[in-house]
Amino acid sequence: MANLSLYSTGSCSSLVSSSSGRPLKITLQQKRRVYLRSAKNQVERRLSVVCSVGAKERTVPELNEGIANFYNESSGIWEEVWGEHMHHGYYDPNSKDAGDHKEAQIRMIEESLAWAGIPEDEENKPRTVVDVGCGIGGSARYLARKYNANVKAITLSPIQAQRGTAITADQGLSKSVNFQVADALKQPFSDGEFDLVWSMESGEHMPDKRKVLFLNIGSAIISRRIQFVQELARVAAPDGRILIVTWCHRDLKPAELSLSPEELELLDKICDAYYLPAWCSPSDYVRIAESIGLKDVKSADWSEYVTPFWPAVMVSALSLKGLFGLAKAGWTTIKGALAMGLMVQGYQRGLIKFALITARKAS
Ligand code: SAH
């Protein structure tokens, strides 16, 4: 079938050989198969243009190994300079003074929970939480204390899991917070285990956001899914909440099929430095969440609330402690530090969006 082209679609389609151009005699069943394959290719091509950038292709094992190494190497220096939270701070866009950055990181957690409407009352607050892509467990411990919840935390980095476990023991929280090295796309948890599924700045690392599942009803292509969101939905309890805080690229304008080549080039460089696969937009997440039956799906763009963050990270990297730590950590971390300016550029151009997506699993 490789040398057949679809001449036109619908019931009166006819097929021609792409080498001779002569019409070919084929059965109705063959015709339907070619039509479906061609339609699938067209949609796949369109989706890959719409929701991916031309990120350096890495296989999933290569990507995961790179992520694990990156965090194994860089988490120590990050903790020394910034502490236990490895995510953006939330800042007042009307204030000239960014204030304390560690407080801004706590504010990010609180504001995200409030925006998602996570209940705080005794009866409805989350009792079981999974922290997907947990770093050294800053959020995991915060959520365990806030809700008196049992928290399971996963990361790809063995060093982070070890360090998270040690800090948690020092803080007397070992009974309620547990760390494992595990993949967010194959979580070692049962279906429906968690009242709150929390992913703070890990979604940008997740592969297969381009992965498309096609379900055929007749010849209709009805569904495409993201594995990451599906896995988050799987482990959420009935009526449980999912909250994803993540880096996205801007939504495409109605007439656009793709980001511009310059935008793609900038994202590619960032992907290379931070071990990110293809990016997607906030609207992609919303469509995907809705397509898998999640309820009350909403998203927000908080880019304006995070502006001081990357410049502050750059300043800290240039401090004596930062420079010494970078030299000690190694090339992967230095490459990450060099890419900080690209993040600032991405935000300034309106290309990178700091996005929140929340949803509820049906009861
Ligand atoms: N949420 C943490 C850490 C953010 S850094 C915080 O806010 O402090 C990104 C984290 O995502 C790292 O811990 C990294 O190991 C994790 N991560 C990336 N891809 C992952 C995957 N496929 N499975 C599990 N964890 C992943």
Side-chain angles (χ1 to χ4, degrees):
M1 289 282 178
N3 64 344
L4 293 180
S5 317
L6 192 70
Y7 193 59
S8 68
T9 59
S11 55
C12 44
S13 63
S14 69
L15 291 157
V16 293
S17 157
S18 50
S19 45
S20 69
R22 276 200 300 273
L24 291 168
K25 280 193 181 154
I26 56 164
T27 65
L28 195 62
Q29 204 181 12
Q30 279 174 321
K31 209 189 266 184
R32 196 172 294 136
R33 255 205 314 263
V34 174
Y35 168 70
L36 285 176
R37 191 179 306 170
S38 164
K40 175 174 178 276
N41 287 344
Q42 279 173 27
V43 173
E44 246 171 2
R45 208 173 317 123
R46 188 181 146 78
L47 288 175
S48 73
V49 174
V50 169
C51 57
S52 81
V53 300
K56 183 176 179 176
E57 288 301 331
R58 298 176 170 118
T59 63
V60 174
E62 279 166 3
L63 177 71
N64 284 0
E65 195 188 332
I67 293 169
N69 289 338
F70 177 75
Y71 287 106
N72 282 343
E73 201 184 81
S74 61
S75 294
I77 167 69
W78 182 272
E79 185 188 349
E80 234 173 85
V81 180
W82 276 78
E84 63 179 339
H85 297 283
M86 309 180 75
H87 59 81
H88 285 65
Y90 179 101
Y91 304 88
D92 176 357
N94 300 315
S95 168
K96 283 211 170 94
D97 179 13
D100 184 89
H101 295 290
K102 291 182 187 172
E103 279 172 21
Q105 289 176 309
I106 299 290
R107 213 176 305 127
M108 176 58 76
I109 299 178
E110 279 296 339
E111 292 287 340
S112 304
L113 293 167
W115 172 82
I118 307 301
E120 301 208 343
D121 61 291
E122 218 24 63
E123 204 179 320
N124 297 306
K125 69 183 185 183
R127 300 193 185 279
T128 48
V129 178
V130 60
D131 184 352
V132 179
C134 62
I136 55 173
S139 296
R141 285 180 293 277
Y142 190 88
L143 297 170
R145 280 202 192 90
K146 180 177 172 73
Y147 298 122
N148 197 15
N150 198 293
V151 183
K152 293 188 179 165
I154 58 172
T155 167
L156 288 178
S157 154
I159 300 280
Q160 286 189 329
Q162 269 169 29
R163 183 67 193 132
T165 304
I167 305 174
T168 301
D170 287 349
Q171 296 186 6
L173 281 169
S174 297
K175 282 208 176 110
S176 44
V177 184
N178 166 271
F179 291 83
Q180 291 181 58
V181 175
D183 190 343
L185 302 185
K186 287 183 222 126
Q187 296 182 33
F189 307 123
S190 327
D191 294 1
E193 220 181 301
F194 302 103
D195 299 332
L196 174 60
V197 176
W198 170 269
S199 163
M200 173 60 79
E201 292 191 43
S202 64
E204 53 272 22
H205 285 297
M206 302 302 166
D208 290 341
K209 291 203 279 275
R210 274 179 298 174
K211 188 150 187 161
V212 181
L213 292 184
F214 291 92
L215 301 179
N216 296 324
I217 292 183
S219 61
I221 294 160
I222 61 159
S223 171
R224 82 174 222 263
R225 297 181 184 175
I226 198 169
Q227 283 195 326
F228 172 49
V229 181
Q230 268 183 306
E231 186 64 351
L232 300 185
R234 183 185 70 75
V235 299
D239 220 26
R241 312 297 183 105
I242 297 168
L243 177 49
I244 303 167
V245 181
T246 190
W247 312 355
C248 283
H249 68 63
R250 66 173 175 83
D251 280 325
L252 296 180
K253 295 173 193 140
E256 276 180 326
L257 272 183
S258 167
L259 298 171
S260 73
E262 295 75 30
E263 288 176 318
L264 293 173
E265 197 183 321
L266 179 58
L267 292 187
D268 261 4
K269 288 184 189 152
I270 295 172
C271 289
D272 187 34
Y274 295 131
Y275 293 88
L276 309 179
W279 295 48
C280 66
S281 69
S283 303
D284 288 325
Y285 268 108
V286 168
R287 274 196 291 273
I288 288 152
E290 284 172 347
S291 78
I292 61 171
L294 291 172
K295 310 280 174 214
D296 303 338
V297 182
K298 65 170 181 170
S299 72
D301 173 4
W302 279 12
S303 307
E304 64 171 325
Y305 300 111
V306 300
T307 311
F309 179 72
W310 283 97
V313 179
M314 286 166 77
V315 168
S316 67
L318 293 172
S319 69
L320 207 57
K321 206 177 182 185
L323 287 171
F324 184 67
L326 279 175
K328 213 169 59 177
W331 172 238
T332 306
T333 312
I334 294 171
K335 209 163 87 176
L338 294 174
M340 291 169 189
L342 302 176
M343 288 298 294
V344 175
Q345 263 185 55
Y347 276 119
Q348 280 172 351
R349 285 194 199 178
L351 166 62
I352 297 180
K353 296 292 176 185
F354 191 83
L356 286 85
I357 301 97
T358 190
R360 194 171 52 78
K361 189 160 160 180
S363 42

